[in-house]
Amino acid sequence: MDRLVDWITDNKVPVGDWMADVVEFIKDNTLSFFDILAATISFIVDGFTGVLEWVPAPILIVVLALAAYAVRRSLSLAGLVVFALLFVLNQGYWNETMETLSLVLFSALFSTMIGVPLGIAAAHRPWLFAAMRPVLDLMQTLPTFVYLLPTLVLFGLGTVPGLISTIIFAIPAPVRLTHLGITSVPRPLLEAGEAFGATRRQLLWKVELPSARPTIFAGITQCIMLSLSMVVIAALVGAGGLGVPVVRALNQVKVGMGFEAGFAIVLVAIVLDRVCRPPEAAHPR
């Protein structure tokens, strides 16, 4: 039995070497492309962050509260936005919060732009979803530090590797829930649309998407929450935001700083969840 174990361990499948070779091949042959991509993403994200930081905090708090009220028609939600942002400002984490908000919004935007069309395509092509399922499982279960390494090698320190890793971590949510929403459309609705002569595109836009909207919105909300959960890990590669004081507090054993930044992250998460959750969930009957 020991010989069998020794033989198995001695004949190790070089999975790690294969993946390292793939990353090195990509780095050696597409370095200029990734440099351009990193510069473009950094310009957009850092520019948006700069705008948020340039606007005076009291004015931005009022604007965001009014925007929350316009979206949900809820005075309590607008009050929650004001309270959360005033707490962040009071604790001295305003700029870090703006960096986190920018990272979360862009990662959720990119994840949604990629995930929702993939979910729609997978719902209409079962073979595509069968091929995507193991990839989605891998993206959701693989430890985030594992795919943080190749993004760090390809893009270097900064916002970009944190953003790319966040997108990889968050994108399965809109894909899966969009697929679930489209495949859960009642068959009588589709038959009624077909009976009126609707084309496949008309069925998608006028029947399937409206029926699946709550589930798709749930996927987008979950995508935002998953993106926010990556802020601490993204800070390890120089992404900035509220993850930086958390990491600093961990390294220096500063309990107070850790709780301050942690409460700021929680308040941002609550606000984003209340604003972005599906309409049916936001206004229960």
Side-chain angles (χ1 to χ4, degrees):
M1 188 63 66
D2 291 338
R3 289 185 177 180
L4 177 60
V5 174
D6 292 339
W7 182 84
I8 294 175
T9 54
D10 291 339
N11 293 274
K12 176 182 176 181
V13 179
V15 176
D17 294 337
W18 293 343
M19 295 306 299
D21 292 340
V22 169
V23 172
E24 285 298 323
F25 176 81
I26 295 174
K27 178 183 176 181
D28 294 338
N29 293 274
T30 58
L31 186 60
S32 58
F33 167 76
F34 284 109
D35 288 341
I36 296 173
L37 181 62
T40 303
I41 295 177
S42 296
F43 175 78
I44 296 174
V45 177
D46 293 342
F48 182 73
T49 304
V51 171
L52 292 179
E53 294 176 348
W54 174 77
V55 178
I59 295 177
L60 189 57
I61 290 174
V62 173
V63 170
L64 293 178
L66 292 176
Y69 178 78
V71 171
R72 293 300 180 193
R73 298 294 178 180
S74 172
L75 287 175
S76 60
L77 177 58
L80 175 63
V81 172
V82 173
F83 167 76
L85 295 180
L86 284 178
F87 175 83
V88 168
L89 182 62
N90 173 261
Q91 296 299 304
Y93 294 107
W94 181 258
N95 288 339
E96 289 85 353
T97 301
M98 295 301 101
E99 293 173 0
T100 293
L101 188 62
S102 179
L103 177 65
V104 170
L105 291 179
F106 274 100
S107 60
L109 175 63
F110 291 142
S111 298
T112 300
M113 292 173 59
I114 298 172
V116 171
L118 282 178
I120 294 172
H124 292 151
R125 299 167 180 83
W127 63 267
L128 178 59
F129 184 68
M132 290 170 52
R133 183 181 299 171
V135 179
L136 296 175
D137 292 340
L138 184 66
M139 294 167 67
Q140 288 185 304
T141 56
L142 194 68
T144 51
F145 286 103
V146 175
Y147 50 76
L148 198 63
L149 289 171
T151 57
L152 185 60
V153 171
L154 295 174
F155 296 103
L157 287 172
T159 303
V160 178
L163 180 66
I164 299 297
S165 300
T166 302
I167 292 173
I168 295 173
F169 181 69
I171 200 171
V175 174
R176 289 185 184 277
L177 287 175
T178 300
H179 172 268
L180 176 63
I182 297 296
T183 55
S184 300
V185 175
R187 185 61 193 171
L189 283 179
L190 297 175
E191 292 175 349
E194 293 171 350
F196 281 99
T199 62
R200 294 184 62 180
R201 178 174 298 181
Q202 290 172 332
L203 284 176
L204 173 64
W205 287 99
K206 297 184 178 181
V207 178
E208 293 178 331
L209 288 179
S211 178
R213 188 178 65 171
T215 307
I216 296 175
F217 265 96
I220 296 174
T221 303
Q222 187 176 353
C223 175
I224 293 173
M225 294 298 104
L226 291 172
S227 300
L228 190 58
S229 69
M230 283 285 291
V231 295
V232 176
I233 297 176
L236 297 175
V237 292
L242 288 169
V244 173
V246 173
V247 174
R248 188 181 300 124
L250 181 62
N251 292 333
Q252 301 175 2
V253 197
K254 292 186 176 180
V255 178
M257 179 188 294
F259 273 97
E260 290 172 356
F263 284 138
I265 293 174
V266 169
L267 288 174
V268 172
I270 292 173
V271 168
L272 290 175
D273 176 69
R274 297 296 185 273
V275 173
C276 301
R277 66 171 49 184
E280 290 75 8
H283 302 285
R285 297 180 180 179

